[in-house]
Amino acid sequence: MRCSRPLWRRYGAHVRLSDVIGRLGGDEFALLLWNLSETDAHAKAAALEQAIDRLSFVFRGRTVAAGASAGVAVLGTHAEAARALEEADSAMYVRKAKRRHEAEG
């Protein structure tokens, strides 16, 4: 849990009081951003990725770099939470693959 404290601080620097953040499990988190356009949501996701990418930890005497890939799903008025999480999860895996490809290229 010690490694997650700096992550929470990074998240906290990028969210508003009206936003909601929670840990889904393992290393996955959900962030609900109220009243944002899709463009602004993608910009917020990119800013969070960059903030987390700048983190590093010392674990058993070795420095470990943090990294994040964010998926964005836009919720409509009658959106179902489970479906929105599926969409965001799928978008996150697409983003993760794109970032991996960018790093290799």
Side-chain angles (χ1 to χ4, degrees):
M1 194 62 156
R2 265 185 268 161
C3 290
S4 64
R5 286 184 189 133
L7 290 174
W8 286 110
R9 283 194 292 273
R10 290 290 165 124
Y11 286 136
H14 289 276
V15 297
R16 304 163 297 180
L17 290 176
S18 61
D19 299 331
V20 178
I21 187 168
R23 183 174 179 202
L24 298 176
D27 62 351
E28 291 192 6
F29 296 84
L31 178 59
L32 299 176
L33 305 169
W34 304 104
N35 298 317
L36 281 183
S37 68
E38 185 171 358
T39 300
D40 289 341
H42 282 281
K44 179 65 72 175
L48 284 166
E49 284 179 349
Q50 291 169 2
I52 293 167
D53 287 349
R54 289 190 297 267
L55 283 175
S56 63
F57 305 92
V58 176
F59 180 72
R60 295 185 181 167
R62 298 179 72 180
T63 300
V64 179
S69 295
V72 174
V74 177
L75 301 177
T77 305
H78 302 290
E80 294 180 28
R83 182 70 185 130
L85 279 174
E86 288 174 10
E87 289 178 21
D89 201 45
S90 293
M92 184 268 305
Y93 282 107
V94 168
R95 179 69 180 138
K96 185 180 281 193
K98 182 178 179 184
R99 289 186 61 155
R100 193 172 289 136
H101 178 72
E102 290 169 352
E104 293 171 357

